[in-house]
Amino acid sequence: MLAAFEQEAKQVNKPRLMITAAVAAGVSTIEAGYQIAELGKYLDYIHVMTYDFYSSSDGRTGENSPLFGGSNSYLSVDYAMNYWKSNGAPAEKLLVGFPTYGHNFNLQNPSNTAVGAPTTGAGPAGPYTKQAGLLAYYEICTFLDSGATQAWDAPQDVPYAYKGSEWVGYDNIKSFNIKADWLKKNNFGGAMVWTIDLDDFTGTFCKQGKYPLITTLKNSLGLQNSSE
């Protein structure tokens, strides 16, 4: 494919089309499915899907995209990105995945709201995304405004919130800034977002302007246009 793209670029006298891939962040999947050093040679960018580390099938609460690991260090952005890098993927080709959604859970015991607390399954579906166990950032803002208790998961550098038997682990402006600073410090190639339409695209739910998470990320990486 690379050779074909290079040949086409010469024929049309335009820059070569890029070759990229979205790849897993879970170590067992990485080991079973990728020849990292070979991918590092041929791909222009490697988008690491550093989210969905915990979900309702785990039977306990967990963060969607923790920067650092808690009890399981390998289930984190830091571990996954450095695993790809240490096994042959050039840091400048590695893009960190930033989620604009969270995973919610139904607590087994509403009085146990800790990270890792037992759950009975997925939390209720959001009014717009309509998928049990997942909430868009703008739906999370509504949950927070409804009187949910907000907490900061210091070991993993991401927030979570709970109300009654519902618990959600997610990302916010603070965690996006922390992750972006970490990304730059570790000289990774950049970031990718999943997904544009799960951010607060109207700016009416979170009262933080339009696309607050993506705008935060662009500003942190020095990519914001002066006209925006």
Side-chain angles (χ1 to χ4, degrees):
M1 185 183 289
L2 178 60
F5 280 2
E6 288 174 340
Q7 184 179 359
E8 180 195 44
K10 291 178 182 177
Q11 291 172 348
V12 300
N13 197 30
K14 289 184 178 179
R16 172 179 64 77
L17 293 173
M18 293 182 124
I19 303 176
T20 68
V23 299
V27 175
S28 60
T29 306
I30 297 170
E31 291 176 340
Y34 305 104
Q35 292 177 293
I36 294 178
E38 289 298 297
L39 289 178
K41 290 179 188 176
Y42 298 107
L43 294 178
D44 294 294
Y45 288 111
I46 300 169
H47 301 71
V48 187
M49 297 183 286
T50 44
Y51 34 75
D52 298 331
F53 283 110
Y54 292 90
S55 65
S56 56
S57 61
D58 296 316
R60 56 194 175 93
T61 60
E63 299 287 5
N64 179 36
S65 181
L67 177 54
F68 300 109
S71 57
N72 293 319
S73 62
Y74 62 92
L75 294 174
S76 68
V77 177
D78 177 76
Y79 190 95
M81 295 304 299
N82 281 300
Y83 188 92
W84 275 93
K85 183 172 72 172
S86 63
N87 282 278
E92 64 273 14
K93 291 186 175 185
L94 289 167
L95 305 187
V96 182
F98 283 70
T100 56
Y101 65 95
H103 282 295
N104 64 339
F105 306 78
N106 190 58
L107 293 168
Q108 191 176 102
N109 179 357
S111 64
N112 184 358
T113 58
V115 177
T119 61
T120 59
Y128 302 101
T129 51
K130 300 185 186 306
Q131 180 180 336
L134 184 146
L135 293 176
Y137 181 60
Y138 59 86
E139 292 173 326
I140 293 169
C141 287
T142 300
F143 179 63
L144 299 179
D145 288 342
S146 73
T149 299
Q150 301 178 54
W152 182 256
D153 182 352
Q156 303 188 89
D157 270 338
V158 278
Y160 64 96
Y162 53 90
K163 179 185 178 185
S165 61
E166 185 176 357
W167 191 103
V168 60
Y170 62 105
D171 271 273
N172 61 8
I173 287 175
K174 179 180 177 180
S175 66
F176 261 45
N177 273 320
I178 291 171
K179 287 180 179 178
D181 288 342
W182 169 90
L183 181 161
K184 291 184 288 187
K185 181 181 177 182
N186 285 275
N187 298 312
F188 288 115
M192 64 105 166
V193 172
W194 189 268
T195 160
I196 293 173
D197 59 343
L198 294 179
D199 199 355
D200 185 14
F201 54 89
T202 65
T204 56
F205 289 85
C206 304
K207 309 294 189 294
Q208 298 166 336
K210 291 184 179 180
Y211 298 103
L213 296 181
I214 294 171
T215 299
T216 294
L217 181 58
K218 290 171 71 176
N219 284 335
S220 296
L221 297 180
L223 300 173
Q224 190 67 289
N225 295 328
S226 58
S227 61
E228 293 182 353

